Every structure is written in C-alpha cells, then in structure tokens.
Amino acid sequence: MPIVTVQQGPRTVELKRDLVRKITDAFVDAYQIPAETVQVWIHEVPTDSWGAAGRLTADRTADK
C-alpha cells in the first residue's frame, strides 16, 4: 500500500482534492493497483513556519 506525503503551504480544499485524485490516479496507472490501496497525506505548513532563499515564505507573500 503506497503512502504519499505531501508537504506544502496552505491550499484550498478544492486544490487538495484535485491533487489527491491525481496522485492516486498516477499510482493506479504506474503500479496497476486499486485506488483504495493508495493513501495521500497532506502536511500543511504555515507560511510563517518555513522559508526559502533566506526568507520566510510569509515575508515573500507579503511583498506581492
């Protein structure tokens, strides 16, 4: 049973729903397994709890 963990910033329920469906479909196609055996865990990290290029993501978002 594949378990996929996605670490990301906050997204809408609609985007997460689409992501889970597409990841599941990819495993079903690649491994020829039932969709029921694929688990997708989404771990959302607040933008003030992660950074890139030396800056918090929250600060980068505020600049836009």
Side-chain angles (χ1 to χ4, degrees):
M1 152 177 49
I3 299 171
V4 179
T5 302
V6 177
Q7 293 181 303
Q8 65 179 28
R11 299 291 194 279
T12 66
V13 165
E14 292 80 16
L15 288 174
K16 291 185 282 189
R17 188 175 288 125
D18 188 48
L19 178 65
V20 169
R21 182 183 52 79
K22 288 178 178 177
I23 289 172
T24 301
D25 289 348
F27 273 86
V28 168
D29 291 343
Y31 290 168
Q32 299 298 300
I33 57 175
E36 294 76 23
T37 65
V38 180
Q39 294 186 28
V40 180
W41 299 355
I42 298 175
H43 177 234
E44 290 187 320
V45 180
T47 57
D48 64 351
S49 295
W50 67 299
R55 297 178 63 199
L56 282 176
T57 303
D59 296 338
R60 295 168 47 123
T61 304
D63 292 345
K64 291 182 181 179

